[in-house]
Amino acid sequence: MTKAYELLKEEVIQDIHAKGYLYKHKKSGARVMLLANDDENKVFNIAFRTPPANSTGVAHIIEHSVLCGSDKFPLKDPFVELVKGSLNTFLNAMTYPDKTMYPVASCNDKDFQNLMDVYLDAVFHPNIYKNEKIFRQEGWHYHLEQISDPLTYNGVVYNEMKGAFSSADEVLNREVFNTLFPDTAYGVESGGDPKVIPSLTYEEFLDFHKKYYHPSNSYIYLYGNMDMKEKLDWLDKEYLSKYDAIFVDSEIKFQEPFAERKDVCFSYPILDQDEEENNTYLSYNVTAGTALDLKLCVAFSVLEYALLDAPGAPVKQALLDAEIGKDIVGSYEDGILQPYFQIVAKNANAPDKERFLNVIYDTLQGIVNQGIDKKSLLAGINFFEFRFREADFASYPKGLIYGIDAFDSWLYEDEKPWLHLQQLWVFEELKKEVENGYYEGLVRKYLLSNPHASIVTLVPEKGLAEKEDKKTGEKLAAYKASLSKAELEQLVEQTRALKEFQETEDSEQAKECIPLLNRSDITREAVKLYNEEHHQGNTVLLHHNLFTNGITYVDLLFDTKYVPDELIPYMGILKSVLGYVSTEHYSYSELFNEINANTGGISCGLQVFQKPVLSVDCARMFGVRFKSLDAGVDFAYDMVKEILCTSKLEDEKRLREILGSMKAGLQQAIPGSGHSSAVLRASSYFQGSAYFMERTAGIEFYHLVEKLEKNFEEQKADLIEKLQLLMRYIFRPENLFVSITADEKGYEGTEQKIASMKEYLHKEQLPQGCIHYLLEQKNEAFMTAGQVQYVASCGNFKEAGYDYTGSLRVLKKILNYDYLWINLRVKGGAYGCMSGFKRNGEAYLASYRDPNLSRTLEIYKGIKKYLENFSCSERDMTKYIIGTISELDTPLNPAAKGSVSLNAWFSGLTESDFQKERDEILHVSCEEIRKLSGLVDAVVSQHNICVIGSSTGIERDKELFKEIKRF
């Protein structure tokens, strides 16, 4: 294709409809992979093998730091400038245990070229060598504003990892990983251990970059519909030709197998009020081959499904029956050279460790002797094959995920770049292996007779977070005491200089070096909706007529407006029960396998639709969803009937197991996404839709599940009665609304199927109930054992008389990547910050893994003044507009287009409404942004706040809250 490169390999990769080329750049030694196809959503990725030698987080800190300016783009944060002013469909960087990636994606050719240029200059010519303050800001630094102040640590990565080290799940996964591979790069924490991060020096930081960030250690990936020769020539001319090939020792070493299983114990933090009983994690872990054995990798994913993931799976069920843990989960951890298989009992007790192991061994031995259930194996194979063929990665570009998957082999074997992109043959092979003992052999070899294993016990420890904080404080105090006055003054000066660096704006000349599209590069047309309204009697059938490659997506939505108030929280339980309990013709394990063997899955959930008006009420729907190849749709409808008509809700044992699993999941999920949880809780003080979701999925719902699980014997009869009553209230013909995404062929016969469905739905008379919106400003703080905060401030601007306008989307971009970013992340050290403004008037401000609390709330109050004085150049406004449009124009797969259309229908929005919003965005001015100062101030002034975070931080600012509670 071009003389600067040597073609090593060329292959048609039929499974993903692409042609693959593998090159080596002759002068620099860079590896280059091309995947050419007709996908307009183009992807570029440059990655480096970066095996860390310790837990200072140097690879992670470099990932952050190289995006803080470079030779060609010398401003302080080109990454943020790109987020603000690019049509990107993906823009980020990621640190893994053995590699660091810098991927971008865009559908716009000019934009895509710009993104490539900025990222390549960032990784090869970063400003980190010119300015130590970048390292101190993104990694760690001593913070001392006055000599009399206590000395503290701060830094974006430092605070990010303090948050990560607060989660029991993350602590467990890290300790398992490090324990299995102690003599390799996998034996340390690539993200950084907060206790170790402050030992990293600036010199060590630079040395790591010098060693690994060379083209000879790089993996360059291009995917999509583009002029590949032009891109290769440009890469050679602008970057690669400037380097000579060198040897970079970055090989990922194999861990020598253990002679015997390791047995280790670690602690994780809980609050003093939390219970130690039933709060231990037990984890059995075994290595399982290498990432270069594709058949083995896919087979272990199937085994995870068959042994642990499916309801009633034998290992999971045996542990539940033995009452070892309330939730049993399994995982096959790949994406590394040596994948491993993990079996975890959550909410268990440490003395049960030996029983835990014995139950696992006995169950697995029985499986080897008697054989694995063939239906579950076939169901697992179909599940993964359906997912591979569908290639539905939500908002992530397909090319991005394919590129990440390619690294599962390419990083470890140059000659096998596309191993994990060609899986269809494996599924056929694995179906044949069901009959010949292949899977039983894997269980025997890897799970039973494998000494390269570990048993990790993770026990709760009260006050551990406070103890660590105290040790850190004492260490810092001792260090401060050891310093002379001159040294202390130097620290104060460094803190001042860093703050000055953070507050100093880039020059217009520096900003203009970032390439920018013109407004004319933006398409003027807004989103297209696909809503064809049909009727079957009084039931609306909304057809989203789209090509779906032979897959039909069906949403059966049931209005819950007449459900009595006291039953509403139990809908959150019902959605987790249906499909997971036995029915008339199937045990719950048979049901799950039958569904997954023949469809793409059936699931239940709750969905809220809000009209764009100031209103407390909203449409609250209970959804039963499925996806299936067209040929399997009749079967899917039959299984929905089986679930809705014959589910055995009176199965007490099964209900108890489901509640235990729900509690464990919520226990980690709510504080793990503390920003979302805090926003939902604060919004529930004043917003009906948030109030409903809080009662069925938020903190209040968690406390209901916790109470039911703890007092199950006393409350089981009432729970069963409520669930059975809910079935009669919800699944009625008059409540049904149908949304179907498919082409004309996929839609055929839908009206007859819905008519048949309505025949078996409940029709008996029931007294009508309704939801009671008990809206009340509570301003709560929820204490966790974490070491950081999630700070939310919410309100409704329509209550203050303001209307929704497209300029609010531009305001969100300005706040998220200017005002909040600079004040909360850059200066404050929070890992994330966000805002949002909805059509119904609901608005929020939130921080993520934030070391601060009251300071953050003060920053929110300062938005009014910031906006009153807001001014920017025409170039900057164009940048904000382009960045805003990029969020609106993310390419959607057919299922997502159907979902957008469905939401628009329920919200009463038309294409004209979306066009009006887009026109308002395209024509926004500084004056219009300034006018929004009152709107944001009205939101903040309503003073609906909720914080989830450390007990220390909350206690320090306790006067801010009406109530302080344990999560």
Side-chain angles (χ1 to χ4, degrees):
M1 191 176 278
T2 171
K3 293 180 180 178
Y5 301 83
E6 177 188 357
L7 178 62
L8 303 176
K9 199 177 182 75
E10 179 179 350
E11 191 172 334
V12 174
I13 308 171
Q14 194 61 49
D15 289 10
I16 62 167
H17 311 294
K19 188 164 185 181
Y21 302 87
L22 189 66
Y23 289 94
K24 186 169 187 176
H25 187 256
K26 294 175 183 177
K27 187 170 187 294
S28 71
R31 304 166 180 86
V32 182
M33 178 196 294
L34 311 180
L35 288 180
N37 59 21
D38 60 359
D39 193 340
E40 293 301 320
N41 199 0
K42 295 170 281 292
V43 178
F44 163 80
N45 188 359
I46 180 164
F48 303 88
R49 270 201 312 226
T50 52
N54 52 46
S55 296
T56 58
V58 58
H60 188 188
I61 296 169
I62 284 177
E63 175 233 303
H64 280 243
S65 300
V66 299
L67 295 173
C68 293
S70 63
D71 286 357
K72 196 186 290 190
F73 308 103
L75 66 171
K76 289 190 298 182
D77 211 336
F79 172 78
V80 171
E81 293 302 304
L82 290 172
V83 172
K84 287 190 287 191
S86 158
L87 287 173
N88 74 84
T89 55
F90 186 87
L91 182 74
N92 213 329
M94 298 93 87
T95 303
Y96 292 86
D98 54 15
K99 57 187 171 286
T100 309
M101 290 186 179
Y102 298 87
V104 298
S106 179
C107 295
N108 182 284
D109 290 332
K110 183 178 172 184
D111 187 50
F112 183 68
Q113 186 67 44
N114 294 343
L115 294 169
M116 285 176 58
D117 198 12
V118 174
Y119 261 44
L120 284 162
D121 204 60
V123 296
F124 289 131
H125 312 131
N127 279 349
I128 58 175
Y129 293 95
K130 303 173 186 175
N131 196 333
E132 184 185 0
K133 296 183 183 71
I134 294 171
F135 164 70
R136 296 175 63 229
Q137 171 183 288
E138 297 299 319
W140 77 277
H141 65 271
Y142 290 116
H143 186 85
L144 188 69
E145 294 190 14
Q146 301 179 69
I147 289 180
S148 58
D149 291 345
L151 185 65
T152 59
Y153 294 128
N154 205 349
V156 174
V157 169
Y158 176 76
N159 289 318
E160 176 189 352
M161 296 312 294
K162 279 181 74 176
F165 272 56
S166 300
S167 160
D169 278 8
E170 291 196 48
V171 171
L172 176 68
N173 290 335
R174 181 178 63 255
E175 301 296 4
V176 167
F177 188 51
N178 297 165
T179 300
L180 283 175
F181 309 105
D183 306 317
T184 74
Y186 298 152
V188 297
E189 176 51 55
S190 62
D193 182 333
K195 291 196 285 288
V196 183
I197 288 172
S199 68
L200 178 67
T201 68
Y202 179 52
E203 291 70 30
E204 291 168 336
F205 166 77
L206 295 181
D207 286 345
F208 193 91
H209 183 271
K210 286 172 190 170
K211 178 175 182 179
Y212 292 118
Y213 279 64
H214 187 281
S216 295
N217 189 45
S218 70
Y219 296 77
I220 297 171
Y221 168 83
L222 284 162
Y223 165 95
N225 186 359
M226 68 187 88
D227 186 334
M228 292 293 189
K229 182 179 184 306
E230 176 195 36
K231 292 291 181 280
L232 290 177
D233 288 341
W234 178 84
L235 275 167
D236 169 60
K237 178 184 174 185
E238 294 295 322
Y239 290 98
L240 300 182
S241 64
K242 297 175 173 57
Y243 295 85
D244 292 319
I246 61 171
F247 171 71
V248 180
D249 183 10
S250 64
E251 182 185 1
I252 310 303
K253 303 287 198 300
F254 270 93
Q255 173 65 49
E256 287 296 316
F258 297 166
E260 59 182 13
R261 188 190 73 217
K262 291 198 173 185
D263 191 335
V264 292
C265 183
F266 300 96
S267 299
Y268 77 95
I270 60 171
L271 294 173
D272 288 341
Q273 308 96 305
D274 290 342
E275 295 180 1
E276 292 174 323
E277 188 179 8
N278 297 326
N279 240 340
T280 290
Y281 288 65
L282 300 171
S283 182
Y284 174 63
N285 325 285
V286 293
T287 57
T290 82
L292 298 173
D293 188 337
L294 178 62
K295 183 177 177 181
L296 185 68
C297 290
V298 180
F300 260 102
S301 294
V302 173
L303 277 175
E304 178 195 332
Y305 171 94
L307 298 179
L308 285 152
D309 286 354
V315 176
K316 177 200 285 271
Q317 196 60 51
L319 288 166
L320 290 173
D321 289 345
E323 298 186 352
I324 300 173
K326 303 294 179 68
D327 188 27
I328 309 300
V329 296
S331 62
Y332 172 66
E333 297 293 337
D334 55 5
I336 53 176
L337 176 59
Q338 292 174 270
Y340 63 94
F341 193 83
Q342 182 181 27
I343 302 170
V344 181
K346 298 183 179 183
N347 298 120
N349 293 292
D352 283 332
K353 181 184 69 175
E354 291 304 321
R355 278 206 314 131
F356 170 70
L357 287 171
N358 289 336
V359 169
I360 291 173
Y361 289 145
D362 290 347
T363 306
L364 292 177
Q365 190 60 59
I367 285 170
V368 169
N369 295 337
Q370 298 160 25
I372 303 174
D373 178 67
K374 293 180 174 55
K375 191 72 173 184
S376 68
L377 290 172
L378 291 170
I381 295 167
N382 185 70
F383 173 82
F384 289 107
E385 182 177 358
F386 191 101
R387 193 166 69 172
F388 182 81
R389 288 180 182 275
E390 185 184 23
D392 181 357
F393 305 115
S395 62
Y396 295 108
K398 271 196 296 191
L400 170 73
I401 305 302
Y402 289 150
I404 293 173
D405 287 347
F407 278 92
D408 287 354
S409 60
W410 192 26
L411 196 78
Y412 314 117
E413 175 55 72
D414 284 346
E415 298 302 311
K416 295 184 176 180
W418 305 306
L419 186 68
H420 289 267
L421 304 181
Q422 298 169 301
Q423 294 193 16
L424 293 182
W425 71 269
V426 178
F427 296 123
E428 292 308 310
E429 283 279 310
L430 291 178
K431 288 171 190 173
K432 297 173 187 173
E433 300 283 20
V434 169
E435 299 293 337
N436 62 18
Y438 171 74
Y439 298 93
E440 291 80 2
L442 296 182
V443 171
R444 183 187 302 108
K445 178 179 179 180
Y446 291 101
L447 304 187
L448 283 173
S449 307
N450 183 2
H452 194 165
S454 71
I455 171 71
V456 175
T457 305
L458 188 67
V459 298
E461 183 177 336
K462 292 185 177 183
L464 179 61
E466 291 79 3
K467 191 186 300 181
E468 294 295 341
D469 282 344
K470 185 179 178 183
K471 281 166 64 175
T472 301
E474 289 171 348
K475 179 182 177 182
L476 286 165
Y479 175 67
K480 184 185 177 188
S482 73
L483 300 176
S484 66
K485 185 178 179 184
E487 289 170 325
L488 288 171
E489 286 174 346
Q490 185 181 12
L491 282 182
V492 170
E493 172 55 26
Q494 287 177 348
T495 301
R496 185 206 62 76
L498 179 59
K499 188 176 180 182
E500 181 182 10
F501 165 71
Q502 292 167 336
E503 290 178 344
T504 303
E505 281 199 35
D506 289 310
S507 67
E508 287 304 314
Q509 183 180 2
K511 288 181 182 178
E512 288 177 9
C513 73
I514 292 287
L516 186 68
L517 301 176
N518 300 311
R519 295 196 195 192
S520 59
D521 292 314
I522 306 171
T523 178
R524 316 297 289 185
E525 291 75 32
V527 65
K528 180 171 173 52
L529 300 177
Y530 302 87
N531 288 327
E532 296 178 6
E533 189 173 327
H534 305 270
H535 293 85
Q536 196 291 310
N538 294 325
T539 302
V540 175
L541 279 61
L542 200 62
H543 178 204
H544 316 294
N545 193 347
L546 291 155
F547 174 72
T548 57
N549 201 26
I551 299 174
T552 297
Y553 301 87
V554 177
D555 284 37
L556 305 167
L557 300 175
F558 294 87
D559 198 336
T560 67
K561 63 184 175 183
Y562 294 129
V563 171
D565 187 76
E566 65 273 13
L567 295 181
I568 281 172
Y570 292 85
M571 288 196 287
I573 297 172
L574 184 64
K575 71 179 174 59
S576 298
V577 167
L578 293 180
Y580 292 86
V581 294
S582 299
T583 62
E584 181 180 352
H585 300 103
Y586 301 94
S587 69
Y588 54 86
S589 58
E590 291 170 341
L591 178 72
F592 198 77
N593 288 330
E594 197 70 29
I595 288 170
N596 282 308
N598 295 282
T599 75
I602 299 175
S603 63
C604 296
L606 296 171
Q607 195 164 353
V608 170
F609 299 99
Q610 186 85 48
K611 297 281 187 184
V613 295
L614 181 60
S615 172
V616 170
D617 205 10
C618 56
R620 305 175 303 281
M621 313 297 283
F622 191 107
V624 181
R625 302 177 176 87
F626 67 79
K627 54 187 175 183
S628 171
L629 296 175
D630 291 347
V633 168
D634 286 345
F635 174 84
Y637 275 104
D638 288 343
M639 297 310 285
V640 169
K641 179 180 180 181
E642 179 80 13
I643 291 169
L644 297 189
C645 293
T646 72
S647 286
K648 296 181 179 178
L649 302 178
E650 68 281 3
D651 184 341
E652 297 173 8
K653 180 176 178 292
R654 185 63 188 141
L655 285 179
R656 188 170 204 159
E657 292 170 357
I658 291 171
L659 284 171
S661 178
M662 290 176 67
K663 179 192 170 187
L666 290 164
Q667 205 170 23
Q668 292 302 316
I670 289 176
S673 56
H675 58 308
S676 301
S677 305
V679 166
L680 179 63
R681 184 72 175 190
S683 298
S684 74
Y685 303 158
F686 62 90
Q687 196 72 37
S689 55
Y691 177 80
F692 171 76
M693 292 308 296
E694 169 63 24
R695 291 180 71 193
T696 55
I699 293 173
E700 184 171 338
F701 178 68
Y702 166 72
H703 288 141
L704 170 66
V705 172
E706 184 182 41
K707 184 181 74 172
L708 288 171
E709 194 271 337
K710 185 175 183 179
N711 305 299
F712 184 75
E713 287 302 318
E714 296 85 356
Q715 304 205 21
K716 62 186 180 183
D718 182 63
L719 171 62
I720 292 167
E721 183 182 344
K722 283 185 166 68
L723 294 178
Q724 290 173 334
L725 187 55
L726 270 174
M727 296 287 285
R728 299 199 293 275
Y729 266 105
I730 296 172
F731 301 118
R732 307 176 66 84
E734 65 269 26
N735 294 340
L736 179 60
F737 179 101
V738 181
S739 168
I740 178 167
T741 303
D743 57 18
E744 293 286 355
K745 183 175 181 298
Y747 180 78
E748 285 176 8
T750 298
E751 292 176 23
Q752 295 91 327
K753 293 180 181 69
I754 296 305
S756 299
M757 167 178 272
K758 288 162 68 174
E759 288 301 313
Y760 66 72
L761 294 175
H762 293 282
K763 301 179 182 65
E764 68 271 35
Q765 283 197 333
L766 293 169
Q768 288 187 358
C770 66
I771 188 171
H772 300 151
Y773 292 110
L774 303 177
L775 306 182
E776 174 190 4
Q777 187 183 73
K778 296 178 180 178
N779 288 2
E780 300 152 298
F782 292 92
M783 295 188 298
T784 71
Q787 295 177 292
V788 289
Q789 279 68 243
Y790 304 86
V791 183
S793 176
C794 304
N796 191 303
F797 56 82
K798 287 197 171 181
E799 285 186 4
Y802 293 93
D803 292 325
Y804 179 82
T805 167
S807 58
L808 284 167
R809 282 193 173 268
V810 182
L811 174 63
K812 173 185 173 182
K813 185 67 67 173
I814 292 169
L815 291 180
N816 288 4
Y817 292 103
D818 264 340
Y819 180 81
L820 293 177
W821 182 274
I822 291 169
N823 286 289
L824 297 187
R825 181 178 165 116
V826 175
K827 296 182 188 177
Y831 181 52
C833 51
M834 57 284 297
S835 63
F837 304 89
K838 300 180 182 179
R839 287 179 180 269
N840 66 350
E842 190 179 339
Y844 66 88
L845 304 161
S847 66
Y848 181 84
R849 291 184 179 172
D850 188 347
N852 305 300
L853 200 166
S854 58
R855 178 187 179 277
T856 296
L857 291 171
E858 289 301 313
I859 296 298
Y860 295 160
K861 291 177 184 176
I863 295 175
K864 178 177 186 290
K865 184 177 179 182
Y866 165 77
L867 291 179
E868 285 175 343
N869 299 306
F870 179 81
S871 179
C872 72
S873 65
E874 173 62 21
R875 185 180 189 280
D876 279 344
M877 186 56 75
T878 296
K879 178 174 60 185
Y880 295 131
I881 290 169
I882 290 171
T884 302
I885 292 295
S886 77
E887 292 184 358
L888 294 178
D889 288 359
T890 300
L892 302 175
N893 59 39
K897 289 178 181 178
S899 181
V900 167
S901 300
L902 172 65
N903 274 278
W905 191 92
F906 265 103
S907 301
L909 297 172
T910 64
E911 290 180 357
S912 297
D913 294 312
F914 289 109
Q915 189 63 56
K916 178 176 180 291
E917 177 190 55
R918 192 179 187 91
D919 291 342
E920 290 167 345
I921 291 168
L922 292 172
H923 297 99
V924 73
S925 65
C926 288
E927 177 59 29
E928 287 177 82
I929 297 299
R930 285 193 289 270
K931 286 178 182 177
L932 297 175
S933 63
L935 181 151
V936 178
D937 187 52
V939 169
V940 175
S941 298
Q942 288 170 22
H943 199 60
N944 298 296
I945 64 170
C946 178
V947 172
I948 297 173
S950 72
S951 55
T952 304
I954 287 170
E955 282 293 333
R956 188 169 52 239
D957 293 319
K958 61 184 178 183
E959 72 281 354
L960 295 171
F961 307 103
K962 293 181 180 180
E963 296 182 70
I964 295 177
K965 306 174 180 179
R966 175 188 71 85
F967 161 66

